Amino acid sequence: LGSIFDLWVVETTGGRRASPSAAAAAREMLRLTDFFVAGLLVCNAAAVLNEDRFLAKIGWGYEATRNDPPGIKRQVIMLLHASRVLLTIPLMALNVVVILLKLIIG
């Protein structure tokens, strides 16, 4: 049972089947989709951080730092807050798409 990747290898090699070791080595390489999934996982991790239970206890709460002077810490806090507010629905949709693609393609 071949995968879509195996079909792509056959098409790009002019119809001849690539050696099993070449196909296995090509499968082991990092692909662009791997970077996309890694980025999606990082966004998910930032989105699920609870401000009251975790971030406020370590001094990274949004309300506590609203009046702080601009700096790297404040920018990271603003980014975390914005990701929780703005990316919730798009992250859900992207997660569903990635799960479906992983189920279908493998």
Side-chain angles (χ1 to χ4, degrees):
L1 208 52
S3 68
I4 291 177
F5 180 76
D6 292 330
L7 295 174
W8 176 79
V9 168
V10 170
E11 288 176 7
T12 57
T13 56
R16 64 187 192 298
R17 196 96 165 125
S19 67
S21 62
R27 251 189 241 115
E28 296 299 320
M29 293 187 323
L30 267 153
R31 296 178 300 235
L32 189 58
T33 55
D34 296 332
F35 288 113
F36 172 74
V37 171
L40 183 64
L41 288 172
V42 168
C43 289
N44 282 328
V48 299
L49 286 175
N50 191 316
E51 189 169 341
D52 296 331
R53 281 190 266 162
F54 178 69
L55 295 175
K57 288 183 180 179
I58 61 171
W60 283 54
Y62 175 71
E63 293 297 326
T65 58
R66 274 179 80 171
N67 297 325
D68 285 356
I72 293 174
K73 177 182 173 183
R74 186 165 184 255
Q75 288 179 348
V76 170
I77 292 169
M78 297 294 281
L79 177 68
L80 289 173
H81 181 72
S83 68
R84 278 192 307 277
V85 172
L86 299 175
L87 293 179
T88 303
I89 303 297
L91 276 175
M92 282 189 238
L94 283 174
N95 284 323
V96 168
V97 169
V98 167
I99 289 170
L100 290 175
L101 287 175
K102 290 283 187 180
L103 286 174
I104 294 169
I105 296 173

